[in-house]
Amino acid sequence: KWTLRSFLSRAIDTDGSYTVSYTHLDVYKRQKNNIIIPLPITEIRSKTDFFDYKAKYTTGMAEEITPAPVSTHIRTLIEKQAVKLYHIFNCKGVVRIDFIYNHDQDKAYMLEINTVPGQSANSLVPQQVRASGSTLKDFYSSLIESCFV
C-alpha cells in the first residue's frame, strides 16, 4: 500500500486516487528567547511517478502547495516532531525536515534533515516565509542576528 519515492510518498487507494502523505517542513531558530519556529508545511504533488530531477526542475511537473492542506492535528503533530528533531540533532539556522505521514497509523516519520535547504526564488524556504506572513528581509535579518547571540 505504501510507495516510498525520493521526495514524495502517497498511499494508493483502491480506486486509484492518492492520499498525499509527504510533507516538507522547514524550521529555524529565532533570536528572541531561543524559540524554534516552524515555517508552514509545503505539500509537493509530482505529475510523474517519482519526484525526481525532471519533476523538480521542469516547469509544471510538480505542484508545491504552501501551506499544505492538512488538518490542524497533522500540522501540529509534524511541527512538534520537527522541533523535537531540531533539538535532538542540534540543528542551527534553517533546516528542512522531510516527513512521510501514514494516515492509517496517524504517525509522521522523518525521512531526512537537509541542513542546507535551497534559498533561491524557486526554493521552498522563500515560499514558506511568505506564507508565514513574514518578509524575506525580516526573516533573513532575524536569521543573521541569531548567529550573534
Side-chain angles (χ1 to χ4, degrees), residues 89-103:
F89 288 99
N90 197 28
C91 296
K92 306 290 182 208
V94 179
V95 302
R96 189 187 76 230
I97 303 175
D98 298 339
F99 289 91
I100 183 171
Y101 178 76
N102 183 316
H103 292 274

Side-chain angles (χ1 to χ4, degrees), residues 20-88:
V20 174
S21 54
Y22 173 80
T23 59
H24 272 283
L25 180 66
D26 291 281
V27 296
Y28 73 99
K29 183 174 12 180
R30 190 161 83 179
Q31 177 193 7
K32 290 185 177 182
N33 302 325
N34 216 19
I35 298 171
I36 307 300
I37 301 180
L39 291 171
I41 296 170
T42 296
E43 175 186 325
I44 297 178
R45 295 180 183 173
S46 179
K47 296 200 169 134
T48 60
D49 288 338
F50 296 93
F51 186 60
D52 56 10
Y53 184 88
K54 180 180 177 184
K56 185 174 182 176
Y57 294 105
T58 305
T59 303
M61 294 302 292
E63 180 182 8
E64 298 168 353
I65 305 164
T66 308
V70 297
S71 69
T72 301
H73 167 74
I74 293 171
R75 180 181 45 76
T76 302
L77 175 76
I78 291 172
E79 286 177 353
K80 283 182 179 180
Q81 283 188 319
V83 169
K84 183 177 180 179
L85 290 164
Y86 189 95
H87 285 293
I88 288 170

Side-chain angles (χ1 to χ4, degrees), residues 103-122:
H103 292 274
D104 295 336
Q105 297 174 2
D106 189 32
K107 289 185 180 179
Y109 298 93
M110 180 192 72
L111 296 176
E112 70 171 337
I113 297 176
N114 183 334
T115 58
V116 189
Q119 301 293 313
S120 72
N122 294 329

